[in-house]
């Protein structure tokens, strides 16, 4: 998409919907870049955040103790952000 072409950053979220875990697979523009993944509930309250480094990798969010519902993730790199929806089913 245009975000990854313009900034050299990508994020893939699987599975979605999820029940016990969510994997955030990311690519950063270079090894020195730092990114942030923030997960918020429908009220905008941040419930989990990750700092990501290295050119690519994966962060796993254990959702077993998270209530079922709709959540939003925001992936920010070099001041640019990409957001998406995430559904937790129980």
């Amino acid at each position: 998409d245009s975000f990854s072409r313009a900034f050299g950053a990508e994020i893939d979220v699987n599975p979605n919907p999820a029940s016990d875990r969510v994997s955030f697979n990311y690519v950063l523009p270079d090894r020195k870049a730092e990114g942030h993944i923030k997960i918020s509930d429908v009220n905008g309250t941040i419930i989990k955040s990750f700092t990501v480094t290295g050119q690519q990798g994966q962060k796993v969010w254990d959702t077993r103790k998270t209530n079922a519902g709709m959540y939003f993730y925001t992936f920010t790199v070099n001041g640019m952000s990409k957001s998406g929806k995430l559904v937790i089913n129980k």
Side-chain angles (χ1 to χ4, degrees), residues 46-63:
I46 296 172
I47 59 166
K48 186 71 176 174
S49 63
F50 301 102
T51 297
V52 295
T53 58
Q55 196 152 8
Q56 68 181 30
Q58 179 183 77
K59 288 290 184 178
V60 177
W61 177 32
D62 181 349
T63 59

Side-chain angles (χ1 to χ4, degrees), residues 48-84:
K48 186 71 176 174
S49 63
F50 301 102
T51 297
V52 295
T53 58
Q55 196 152 8
Q56 68 181 30
Q58 179 183 77
K59 288 290 184 178
V60 177
W61 177 32
D62 181 349
T63 59
R64 290 178 290 185
K65 294 181 182 176
T66 304
N67 293 332
M70 173 91 59
Y71 295 86
F72 300 92
Y73 67 87
T74 303
F75 179 49
T76 304
V77 180
N78 295 333
M80 302 304 295
S81 297
K82 179 178 181 178
S83 297

Side-chain angles (χ1 to χ4, degrees), residues 5-68:
R5 284 193 303 272
F7 304 106
E10 298 175 32
I11 190 161
D12 182 49
V13 180
N14 285 303
N16 189 9
S19 59
D20 60 350
R21 65 163 179 73
V22 177
S23 297
F24 295 90
N25 300 296
Y26 65 89
V27 176
L28 298 175
D30 59 58
R31 285 182 279 147
K32 294 180 183 177
E34 182 176 277
H36 302 277
I37 301 168
K38 294 183 181 178
I39 303 158
S40 58
D41 62 17
V42 294
N43 297 316
T45 303
I46 296 172
I47 59 166
K48 186 71 176 174
S49 63
F50 301 102
T51 297
V52 295
T53 58
Q55 196 152 8
Q56 68 181 30
Q58 179 183 77
K59 288 290 184 178
V60 177
W61 177 32
D62 181 349
T63 59
R64 290 178 290 185
K65 294 181 182 176
T66 304
N67 293 332

